[in-house]
Amino acid sequence: MLPVKGALAMAQRKSLSGFPAALLRSRGMYSSGFVPDYVSPNNGAPRMPSPWNKWFPYEPVPCTPQLSPVRVKVEGQQVYQYCMCGECRTQPWCEDNGGPGGCLSRGFASMPFIPRNSGWVALCGCKHCPSRPKFNGTCWLVWADYNIGPACLLGFVSTFVSGLFLTWMMHP
């Protein structure tokens, strides 16, 4: 058996094919010794300040229910209330449709979201994306901010593999 086929067979046996995606979706792994100062009693989401909140500490910091996008099915032209506090049990939507029992009781105002078309949409799961409620990759940057070692390892491995591949493809 060729070494490449053997390595692929071993990766399939050990189910390492989804390793980077599982690493990015992980919530409970904090390699930098981060201990959240507040954990929501409603859904167990930790409060993880972004680099912006570290520079401007007087702005309210939402809880972070997950460090990856939330993929939900929506109906076009229907009004949804996007949770901005991160503590609602009905993530990514606000409890009580933005009323006094939802985000307003926690000091945040829910954001109305009206999709143009019906279908699946990726929404921010970390509550730090500047394009809220749409996902733009900031969730992965927040993950990298709190998991420096695995993020460096993932970056090194991906650039090393892409460098090997491009060298192999571009060599005359």
Side-chain angles (χ1 to χ4, degrees), residues 33-117:
F34 170 74
V35 178
D37 59 346
Y38 175 79
V39 176
S40 171
N42 296 331
N43 63 359
R47 183 167 288 157
M48 300 173 73
S50 69
W52 175 268
N53 297 121
K54 291 174 186 174
W55 281 89
F56 300 99
Y58 299 108
E59 292 186 4
V61 179
C63 288
T64 303
Q66 86 183 46
L67 292 175
S68 62
V70 179
R71 199 169 160 215
V72 293
K73 189 169 187 160
V74 294
E75 296 294 325
Q77 304 305 320
Q78 184 176 351
V79 178
Y80 294 95
Q81 296 294 329
Y82 178 74
C83 171
M84 296 290 285
C85 67
E87 296 188 51
C88 295
R89 288 183 289 271
T90 57
Q91 288 295 321
W93 312 122
C94 184
E95 296 170 346
D96 196 25
N97 260 345
C103 292
L104 283 178
S105 65
R106 297 175 188 100
F108 290 88
S110 64
M111 176 182 284
F113 174 62
I114 305 170
R116 292 183 186 168
N117 303 318

Side-chain angles (χ1 to χ4, degrees), residues 126-137:
C126 70
K127 309 297 180 195
H128 292 290
C129 290
S131 63
R132 279 181 300 233
K134 299 272 185 157
F135 170 74
N136 67 355

Side-chain angles (χ1 to χ4, degrees), residues 19-21 23-24 140-141 143-144 147-164:
F19 178 67
L23 193 62
L24 288 174
W140 294 329
L141 294 176
W143 175 84
N147 298 290
I148 296 169
C152 289
L153 179 67
L154 186 64
F156 173 76
V157 168
S158 64
T159 55
F160 183 78
V161 169
S162 65
L164 281 177

